[in-house]
Amino acid sequence: MILEKLATESIQKKRFENKKKGLENLILRKKISKKILKSKERRLLSAESLINGYKKKRQLKSREKRLARKEGKFFVPSREKVFFVIRIKGINGVPPNIRKILHLIRLRQINNGVFFESQYINCKNA
């Protein structure tokens, strides 16, 4: 009889604790979901602002082309000022002249990257 009473008390305590933990977990999940929603909204806003910026750039470029055509001139688009080059392949099977270029721009290991300034010669073949 006493064992049964102790068992039921411990079971009731365990149920109460589980209920309490469940409520705490539910509150935590709601807080986390609110944070996730806020971060999603932030990401959407930043994506929209990026898209709008690209649209404005495209419109500006087309406007400049139109103006140049109207004035009887040529429109030469601007080029990138800096490149970031990443080495993704090993040295095996690479021709010696390309190997030398990789060495000159300090790309000696796979997955290394280097910034370098854009010049007409660099963009000539691209």
Side-chain angles (χ1 to χ4, degrees):
M1 188 81 174
I2 296 171
L3 284 174
E4 289 176 6
K5 189 175 181 182
L6 286 173
T8 55
E9 281 180 18
S10 64
I11 290 172
Q12 286 177 351
K13 282 183 182 177
K14 185 69 174 169
R15 285 181 186 159
F16 178 74
E17 289 295 321
N18 286 342
K19 202 176 207 182
K20 193 175 175 183
K21 285 181 184 176
L23 288 174
E24 289 172 359
N25 287 339
L26 183 68
I27 292 167
L28 279 174
R29 273 187 266 138
K30 284 186 178 180
K31 285 181 181 177
I32 290 171
S33 64
K34 285 180 183 177
K35 284 183 180 179
I36 290 172
L37 285 174
K38 284 182 182 178
S39 68
K40 280 184 181 179
E41 288 174 9
R42 237 183 291 127
R43 278 186 266 152
L44 282 173
L45 287 173
S46 66
E48 286 176 358
S49 67
L50 284 172
I51 289 169
N52 290 335
Y54 288 128
K55 278 184 182 177
K56 285 180 183 177
K57 280 184 183 178
R58 207 176 314 125
Q59 289 171 352
L60 181 68
K61 197 179 242 185
S62 62
R63 190 179 305 125
E64 287 175 344
K65 282 182 183 179
R66 234 180 285 118
L67 286 172
R69 210 176 310 130
K70 203 179 262 186
E71 294 174 3
K73 298 178 182 176
F74 293 103
F75 174 74
V76 180
S78 63
R79 296 181 181 233
E80 291 77 14
K81 306 252 186 302
V82 176
F83 289 112
F84 183 69
V85 181
I86 301 174
R87 179 170 178 173
I88 57 171
K89 189 178 175 187
I91 210 86
N92 294 341
V94 177
N97 58 342
I98 294 176
R99 197 178 304 167
K100 182 64 179 178
I101 291 169
L102 289 172
H103 193 74
L104 288 172
I105 60 175
R106 297 185 316 270
L107 288 174
R108 293 180 179 96
Q109 287 183 335
I110 297 174
N111 296 329
N112 275 8
V114 171
F115 284 101
F116 70 96
E117 267 186 64
S118 170
Q119 297 169 355
Y120 177 73
I121 296 168
N122 300 341
C123 302
K124 196 173 182 180
N125 297 329

